[in-house]
Amino acid sequence: MMITSGFSRRMLLGLGGAALLAASVSVPAMAQQVVKIGLILPMTGPFASTGRQIEAAAKLYMAQNGTSVAGKTVELVVKDDTGTPDVTRRIAQELILNDKVSVIAGFGLTPLAMSTAPIATQAKVPMVVMAAGTSAIIDASPFIVRTSFTQAQSAATIGNWAAKNGVKKVVTLVSDYAPGHDSEKFFSEAFKADGGEVVQSMRAPLQNPDFAPFLQRVRDAAPDALFVFVPSGVGSVLMKQFIERGLDKSGIRLIGPGDITDDDLLNGFGDAAIGTITAHLYSAAHPDPRNKAYVEAFKKANNNARPNFMSVGGYDGMHLIYEALKKTNGATDGAGLVAAMKGMAWESPRGPISIDPETREIIQNIYIRKVEKVDGELYNVEFDTFKAVKDPAKAAKK
Ligand code: DHB
């Protein structure tokens, strides 16, 4: 009896000790609060490549940097908006109200970012634009911070470069929506300021475009170069029709922002793409050890797929959110996070970048690149750099 009770007591004490120990182990894990990031992207439909690239890059960043930030556990909630503005806005509302996300991010196209901006303002939730490139987006909400690019950064830069490098007469062809209009405007202004002449400006529909009739007009106008903007993923249609019309052999050079020679598609273009000159923020061939490591890790995690310029918007967007959380010691108040993001500067796989503290806009190098064959694959090989380019639209307003 004594023995039994003694044994029982020890058993109980032992169990109690184990339970206490278990409790003390699990307390910090339970106390580590979750910070949710809602990543809203076109994962299906004609712009799915943008969604896939950004999701893959965001996940790579988290795999490399862990999910524990400033004592919180970061959780990514990925949602497909199919590239439809009403859906993007509804998903943003649901993520904020039901899932209690602290940050919304992604935004694969300008109309998707524009439709959601009022939600960010009302809810006071930071909105990290990782893709869309129209300059006006940043003015749509004080809670928007951009890690992608502005179309104007690349378009104005290729305008400057072309005028100074023997291109005199240009025809422009852009997708008929906001970033296309920005591309046309900022290219033309820069090109003309340096003595170039735009002989014709054409706009093709964004959805299901047939470029053939436009390309026929380009042949007839016989400019020195054709300037083209089409969004990421659409370049292969344009390039196919450019080649079918024999424009690659016509002496008319193809130039533009680098969306047209998207790394996601470039290798499928064939040798006709060789020599295309573009200005853009990122090339998978950017010759920096940081980028080499990035490309290698991205390919390894994604069935050998090459990262494109959209991917770095996702990768750097996650870095921005992580570092802002560190600065606020894990506090998720929206205004505080945006304040922490302003002025942040770091080394991206694309090169040095920063967030303009006045405008919340990205400042980055824009590289001039030429399509070349390297080790049997087509790449945008950088050969000139315009350093720390601010958005020309904002510079113009001052
Ligand atoms: C936008 C989308 C793209 O795919 C791109 O390459 C550039 C701009 C946009 O909608 O803003």
Side-chain angles (χ1 to χ4, degrees):
M1 185 67 183
M2 283 284 288
I3 292 169
T4 310
S5 70
F7 182 69
S8 309
R9 213 165 37 239
R10 271 201 305 279
M11 274 291 286
L12 281 171
L13 279 170
L15 273 177
L20 266 175
L21 193 68
S24 69
V25 165
S26 63
V27 161
M30 272 162 38
Q32 181 138 334
Q33 288 169 353
V34 170
V35 176
K36 288 187 189 171
I37 301 168
L39 187 62
I40 317 171
L41 292 164
M43 301 303 296
T44 54
F47 303 102
S49 64
T50 296
R52 281 200 305 270
Q53 284 273 344
I54 291 176
E55 183 196 28
K59 288 192 166 161
L60 176 62
Y61 187 86
M62 293 178 78
Q64 290 174 335
N65 294 278
T67 52
S68 188
V69 183
K72 303 259 171 114
T73 301
V74 175
E75 195 180 298
L76 199 63
V77 186
V78 183
K79 298 280 180 191
D80 176 16
D81 64 14
T82 72
T84 311
D86 289 349
V87 179
T88 319
R89 187 177 54 238
R90 179 175 51 73
I91 291 174
Q93 270 167 330
E94 286 170 3
L95 284 172
I96 292 168
L97 290 175
N98 303 340
D99 299 72
K100 311 271 184 260
V101 300
S102 301
V103 178
I104 50 174
F107 311 102
L109 293 152
T110 291
L112 313 180
M114 284 304 205
S115 74
T116 309
I119 305 295
T121 307
Q122 282 161 24
K124 298 186 167 46
V125 166
M127 172 167 161
V128 178
V129 174
M130 296 173 160
T134 301
S135 291
I137 289 172
I138 211 86
D139 300 323
S141 169
F143 286 86
I144 293 180
V145 181
R146 180 152 34 199
T147 56
S148 49
F149 51 86
T150 74
Q151 245 6 91
Q153 285 174 326
S154 292
T157 302
I158 194 70
N160 288 138
W161 184 88
K164 292 190 176 117
N165 287 274
V167 181
K168 304 235 170 323
K169 265 175 61 177
V170 164
V171 171
T172 64
L173 171 59
V174 301
S175 291
D176 191 6
Y177 79 124
H181 304 166
D182 272 8
S183 296
E184 181 190 280
K185 175 177 190 279
F186 287 96
F187 168 79
S188 300
E189 282 179 8
F191 185 58
K192 288 184 199 164
D194 283 331
E197 187 191 353
V198 177
V199 293
Q200 212 174 337
S201 296
M202 303 185 296
R203 296 175 175 184
L206 172 63
Q207 302 289 351
N208 305 311
D210 176 12
F211 298 110
F214 297 100
L215 294 173
Q216 188 54 48
R217 281 158 65 189
V218 175
R219 270 205 93 114
D220 298 343
D224 299 320
L226 169 64
F227 168 93
V228 176
F229 164 75
V230 291
S232 183
V234 182
S236 44
V237 184
L238 183 281
M239 193 59 84
K240 186 168 166 281
Q241 295 188 329
F242 189 81
I243 297 163
E244 274 169 10
R245 297 258 135 190
L247 279 155
D248 56 320
K249 299 190 182 71
S250 67
I252 301 170
R253 294 163 72 181
L254 185 60
I255 61 171
D259 312 70
I260 182 86
T261 55
D262 188 342
D263 268 299
D264 205 36
L265 308 169
L266 183 57
N267 238 340
F269 285 177
D271 289 357
I274 291 173
T276 304
I277 292 182
T278 57
H280 223 29
L281 58 124
Y282 178 73
S283 164
H286 179 58
D288 180 85
R290 192 183 305 272
N291 183 50
K292 288 214 166 82
Y294 174 69
V295 172
E296 211 166 284
F298 188 99
K299 282 181 152 181
K300 200 168 166 207
N302 295 285
N303 214 2
N304 218 29
R306 198 191 279 185
N308 74 356
F309 66 94
M310 288 300 188
S311 78
V312 287
Y315 193 77
D316 292 325
M318 290 306 294
H319 181 82
L320 180 72
I321 297 165
Y322 270 46
E323 292 303 312
L325 279 169
K326 287 181 195 168
K327 272 175 124 183
T328 64
N329 285 321
T332 53
D333 151 65
L337 280 176
V338 171
M341 290 173 180
K342 287 182 183 177
M344 207 177 273
W346 69 101
E347 287 293 328
S348 156
R350 65 185 112 172
I353 64 174
S354 64
I355 301 298
D356 189 327
E358 281 177 45
T359 62
R360 294 166 276 108
E361 190 64 272
I362 187 162
I363 301 174
Q364 60 192 331
N365 292 348
I366 298 294
Y367 306 90
I368 310 291
R369 316 93 51 84
K370 187 179 201 168
V371 176
E372 289 177 20
K373 200 166 242 182
V374 183
D375 296 332
E377 291 192 39
L378 296 180
Y379 280 100
N380 293 295
V381 177
E382 296 167 354
F383 64 90
D384 204 354
T385 306
F386 287 66
K387 289 207 172 126
V389 176
K390 287 190 172 190
D391 179 36
K394 288 159 195 86
K397 267 197 284 185
K398 280 185 185 167

